[in-house]
Each structure stands twice: as C-alpha cells, then as structure tokens.
Amino acid sequence: MSANAYNPLDEHHQSSLEDNSTSYSSDENEQTWISWFCTLKGNEFFCEVDEEYIQDDFNLSGLSSMIPYYDYALDMILDIESPNGSKLTEQQHELVESAAELLYGLIHARYILSNRGMISMLEKYKQNHFGRCPRVACNNQSCLPVGTSDVFRTATLKIFCPSCQDLYFPRNKFQGTIDGAYFGTTFPHLFLLTYQHLQPNRTKHNYVPRIFGFKIHHDKD
C-alpha cells in the first residue's frame, strides 16, 4: 500500500513503552535502558545509540527546550539514578518514561546520520530488518526507514524503496505507529549516497492492464 496519502497520528502518539506490559526497571533488568528499548515490540527499526554519543552535549543541542523532564529523561536513558527521582509521583514517573522515549527518538534521528550510526543501520539493512518493497516490479527490494517530517508528532514512519523510490507503510502495525521524526527525512538518501554500491537500478517497468490480451486505451475527453 503506497503511503502517498497522509496517515495522521493520534492526538497523543501511543508510546511503544505503553504497548508493552512492563516498564523498564534498572534494579530488575540487567539490560541497559537503550538495549531494552530497542528490543521492544515494534522498535526493531531502531539501532542502539552509543552512550558516548549521548554524553556529548554538542549532539543534544537544542533538545532540552523541546523535551519535558529533560534531565530525568536523559538520566533514564543513560541508566543514571536521578538525585530527586524518588520524589516523583507515579504519574510524573510515567511522564518521564514517555519523555525518555521521545528524547531517545530525536537523538536517534541525529545518530543515524553519523558514521557510527550509518554502520549500525547498514547491518540492519543487510539483514532486511526494514522490510521489502511490496511492489512486484521491485523484486523484493530491501527498504529503508524514513520520516516525511523532521517535526515530531507530525507524521508516522514510512519505508522508502530505493528501486521505485516510493514510500510505503510498514507492514507491522506497531512499526506503523512510530513517529517519523525518530528517523527523519534525510537518512535513507544520505545512506544511499554513502553506500552507493547498494543503490539499485531504478525500476522503469509499469504494469499494463489488458482485457483478453489487448491493452486498454482510454478515450480523452
């Protein structure tokens, strides 16, 4: 199904944290928050962002003013116990979890444009983690994730086919609710410029409708 038509997000984007029955607890979980988040159902497109990248303030420029509970969310992502974390109410803790997802998503969109991020996404691409093009003429071409906007809560994630160069909705319903800003509008195109040997020939074949073997000709008004 082509994604030419706009697929609006719900008023409040359903967090993948809420789609899973358990929340992350550093005391009970040996995994890091980042590893845990990337293994949640529907988050298979995400790669694990290096903690060193997150700890560099330059890479997070401008995000603090966009994210509520920014300091708490950052501490959660990095598995750091916040000094005043115990003072948060249950409702505030839920808001911090949601903020951590949003913050990680926006950091992720920047990270996958870096050399290390590209390498991580390359491995996923080689393993077809992002799905294949549903168009018959593209012969199961591997796709790449893309957003149609860099502004969060504007549009959901799509997949881009390098062969027909069209957009499609992910087949997985959970992946279809991911915010497109978590991957951004630039990634697949920069990826294919970086790894030009992966760029397939663009398909020129179009299906021709026929009735009893004869092409259909439409009369012009």
Side-chain angles (χ1 to χ4, degrees):
M1 180 179 181
S2 176
N4 290 331
Y6 171 66
N7 181 29
L9 290 164
D10 295 331
E11 181 178 357
H12 295 290
H13 173 58
Q14 291 299 314
S15 167
S16 60
L17 296 175
E18 297 173 355
D19 289 333
N20 293 268
S21 58
T22 58
S23 295
Y24 177 78
S25 172
S26 58
D27 295 333
E28 301 173 357
N29 198 325
E30 294 181 357
Q31 283 183 304
T32 64
W33 185 95
I34 295 173
S35 295
W36 170 80
F37 177 79
C38 291
T39 56
L40 292 178
K41 183 182 294 183
N43 286 0
E44 296 84 0
F45 284 10
F46 287 93
C47 70
E48 293 191 18
V49 178
D50 290 343
E51 290 191 5
E52 291 181 1
Y53 182 89
I54 300 175
Q55 292 166 348
D56 187 337
D57 291 338
F58 177 79
N59 297 325
L60 310 186
S61 177
L63 295 181
S64 61
S65 62
M66 301 167 60
I67 310 296
Y69 295 97
Y70 174 82
D71 291 330
Y72 290 104
L74 185 59
D75 285 346
M76 178 173 284
I77 291 172
L78 295 175
D79 297 299
I80 298 173
E81 186 174 348
S82 298
N84 298 318
S86 59
K87 298 180 181 179
L88 295 175
T89 65
E90 183 177 347
Q91 183 179 12
Q92 288 175 323
H93 187 73
E94 291 176 357
L95 292 173
V96 170
E97 288 185 336
S98 179
E101 178 195 4
L102 174 57
L103 177 58
Y104 184 81
L106 296 180
I107 294 172
H108 182 269
R110 298 180 179 189
Y111 178 71
I112 59 177
L113 301 182
S114 70
N115 289 333
R116 286 180 292 176
M118 285 275 183
I119 292 172
S120 296
M121 297 298 274
L122 175 62
E123 293 305 311
K124 286 181 168 288
Y125 179 76
K126 288 180 177 179
Q127 298 175 34
N128 298 308
H129 283 193
F130 308 126
R132 298 179 183 274
C133 182
R135 189 169 182 264
V136 173
C138 290
N139 296 315
N140 288 320
Q141 170 64 46
S142 296
C143 292
L144 291 161
V146 67
T148 55
S149 173
D150 293 312
V151 179
F152 64 91
R153 291 176 181 161
T154 301
T156 53
L157 178 71
K158 309 298 186 296
I159 56 174
F160 170 77
C161 173
S163 183
C164 64
Q165 299 191 3
D166 207 348
L167 301 183
Y168 301 89
F169 294 117
R171 293 185 179 182
N172 184 298
K173 66 177 181 179
F174 294 103
Q175 294 167 348
T177 64
I178 294 173
D179 198 311
Y182 295 169
F183 292 82
T185 59
T186 298
F187 168 69
H189 316 299
L190 183 60
F191 179 89
L192 292 170
L193 282 177
T194 303
Y195 304 108
Q196 295 187 21
H197 63 285
L198 297 177
Q199 176 67 62
N201 294 325
R202 185 168 183 178
T203 54
K204 298 180 180 179
H205 176 269
N206 290 315
Y207 173 72
V208 179
R210 297 174 185 271
I211 297 179
F212 301 120
F214 296 98
K215 295 181 181 180
I216 300 174
H217 296 281
H218 298 280
D219 295 330
K220 295 181 179 180
D221 294 333

